[in-house]
Amino acid sequence: QQQVKQSPQSLIVQKGGISIINCAYENTAFDYFPWYQQFPGKGPALLIAIRPDVSEKKEGRFTISFNKSAKQFSLHIMDSQPGDSATYFCAASFSARQLTFGSGTQLTVLP
Amino acid sequence: DTEVTQTPKHLVMGMTNKKSLKCEQHMGHRAMYWYKQKAKKPPELMFVYSYEKLSINESVPSRFSPECPNSSLLNLHLHALQPEDSALYLCASSQQTGSNQPQHFGDGTRLSIL
């Protein structure tokens, strides 16, 4: 019940396209859903986060969509750029519990 | 540049060596974390310190020994490691433990055990 399932494992998108990464969870106690971006040789960097009382949050080209009833949330990257090529991790947590990470999505944006 | 600084960036050690990884943050955060990350996998939590006290140990083998000398520093002492311990070791910090507290990661120490 602590798992967060992430898909797809890898994603290839053309420059200017939309990248979509999906996550699903079972534990309805989760109340914080961050997305992390990790480049090779670097640590994960917080990209954007959402709480379940909102259905969508947008920061620049990055949008989180949240569907509480379906227990799913997704990351949309608009106008994808080669510089967005990285590994993306969704995560979830609640109360004083620690982050539960998804398995990761390796995104490649072709020039 | 990351606000969580980890040293060294790379470390190669034999199975009988003793070494330490260091982590420093000056954001006034009172929670600090050690994670282990294998290639193409998500970070796995090892230890959590809250207000300089160990609050979570995720059943980590005793060959890994954490230490929090003060609110800005976190060490991970290594002794008699195994080849399967080769990984990227990440330090992170947050204002406090608990949900809704963004964790800020360092760039890690790439550890190789010969």
Side-chain angles (χ1 to χ4, degrees), chain A residues 30-99:
Chain A
F30 285 140
D31 62 1
Y32 176 65
F33 302 88
W35 284 89
Y36 283 86
Q37 177 189 57
Q38 186 174 23
F39 292 105
K42 297 290 187 180
L46 180 64
L47 195 60
I48 187 172
I50 198 168
R51 297 207 63 186
D53 51 351
V54 297
S55 60
E56 186 175 283
K57 183 174 181 179
K58 184 176 181 179
E59 290 185 4
R61 296 184 294 109
F62 301 91
T63 300
I64 299 179
S65 296
F66 188 84
N67 186 329
K68 189 173 181 178
S69 60
K71 292 185 284 186
Q72 295 176 348
F73 58 110
S74 60
L75 176 69
H76 296 235
I77 306 175
M78 311 300 288
D79 187 25
S80 298
Q81 299 296 312
D84 297 330
S85 297
T87 300
Y88 293 80
F89 293 100
C90 64
S93 69
F94 69 96
S95 183
R97 303 296 178 130
Q98 301 310 311
L99 288 173

Side-chain angles (χ1 to χ4, degrees), chain B residues 41-100:
Chain B
K41 296 291 186 183
E44 297 175 34
L45 184 67
M46 299 175 72
F47 302 104
V48 180
Y49 272 83
S50 179
Y51 290 85
E52 297 151 57
K53 293 191 187 308
L54 183 64
S55 63
I56 294 177
N57 175 341
E58 292 285 359
S59 302
V60 179
S62 60
R63 57 186 184 268
F64 295 92
S65 175
E67 177 196 21
C68 190
N70 61 57
S71 60
S72 300
L73 293 174
L74 188 65
N75 298 321
L76 186 62
H77 303 296
L78 315 172
H79 174 54
L81 295 194
Q82 304 298 307
E84 61 265 27
D85 297 323
S86 297
L88 181 68
Y89 287 84
L90 294 162
C91 174
S93 70
S94 63
Q95 285 205 341
Q96 297 181 47
T97 57
S99 68
N100 222 14

